[in-house]
Amino acid sequence: MDLLESNELIFADLIAPEATYSAPDGTLLARIVRMDGMVARKRKRGNFFKRLITPPIDVGGPVALRVEDVSGRSLLTLRGASDSVCEVRDADFKTLGRFEHDDQLVTDTWTSSLLDRNIQWQNFFRAWAVRNPDGDVVLEIQTNEIKYGRRNSANIRVGGDIRTITTVDGTQVAVWTDERLTFERELASPLRELVIATPMAVKAISPTAFSSWSGPLGEYIWERP
């Protein structure tokens, strides 16, 4: 079984210094190894509110990662930085594309949400664009909308754990959750490689994007080694 051919990938310790891609049956397919830059460390347990107001001094920054197969052969290389872009290269160091924040899509979605009947809720939405070497958008990644509010005297949260990956014409090609990446359509290179790189590329440019969510991603932050 090969990483670049599998249609379903499971992550383990997605943003730890060394993470893995595995098949649903547990077969190890690849390792994600930090080459340089920031490291992902587990958040220290303690007072939640104290952590909110006293974040680490250095959270986010340049990071370089390598995806390698079980024999140690390099498959993909990622170089990115917080609030910037993440470039993805193949095994021959050919640039496949780059990830960046999709500010226009965020603005459009936020504007349309103002007409939502649940206007009393606080809405959050995140999106990222993937461009080819010529600068054209080839993929878009977006969260399902996160909503916080109170209902029946209880704080509730809806959405945020599923991110859809689509082509520019709106065709959904994959779904990414905290621990799983599932292809819904066959994709040729380099789109397939870019989809596989999505979790780490997005985390490289959005190191705090998941810090307030529940689940394993919320337990880690990027900081200087």
Side-chain angles (χ1 to χ4, degrees), residues 30-151:
R31 295 182 177 88
I32 306 166
V33 182
R34 170 185 167 272
M35 298 164 55
D36 193 14
M38 308 295 274
V39 298
R41 299 190 190 281
K42 195 164 187 177
R43 296 176 67 96
K44 293 181 180 180
R45 297 291 182 181
N47 184 282
F48 172 75
F49 296 102
K50 183 178 180 180
R51 294 206 313 266
L52 285 180
I53 63 176
T54 58
I57 296 176
D58 295 309
V59 178
V63 63
L65 305 164
R66 182 177 67 251
V67 180
E68 57 184 39
D69 65 16
V70 292
S71 69
R73 179 174 62 94
S74 178
L75 301 175
L76 299 170
T77 300
L78 291 77
R79 292 184 180 275
S82 175
D83 294 322
S84 183
V85 300
C86 182
E87 184 180 77
V88 179
R89 297 186 178 187
D90 65 12
D92 298 319
F93 300 104
K94 176 184 176 182
T95 300
L96 302 178
R98 72 177 190 270
F99 288 71
E100 60 186 39
H101 293 101
D102 195 333
D103 297 329
Q104 186 60 54
L105 182 55
V106 170
T107 299
D108 294 344
T109 303
W110 182 83
T111 302
S112 64
S113 73
L114 295 178
L115 302 177
D116 194 305
R117 62 185 178 86
N118 295 312
I119 193 66
Q120 73 274 14
W121 288 34
Q122 186 176 10
N123 296 352
F124 295 86
F125 178 80
R126 291 184 181 272
W128 300 268
V130 186
R131 298 182 183 272
N132 63 21
D134 295 326
D136 301 319
V137 176
V138 291
L139 293 172
E140 289 184 320
I141 304 137
Q142 55 185 288
T143 60
N144 59 321
E145 198 168 13
I146 314 166
K147 298 182 179 181
Y148 290 91
R150 292 183 64 82
R151 181 173 292 174

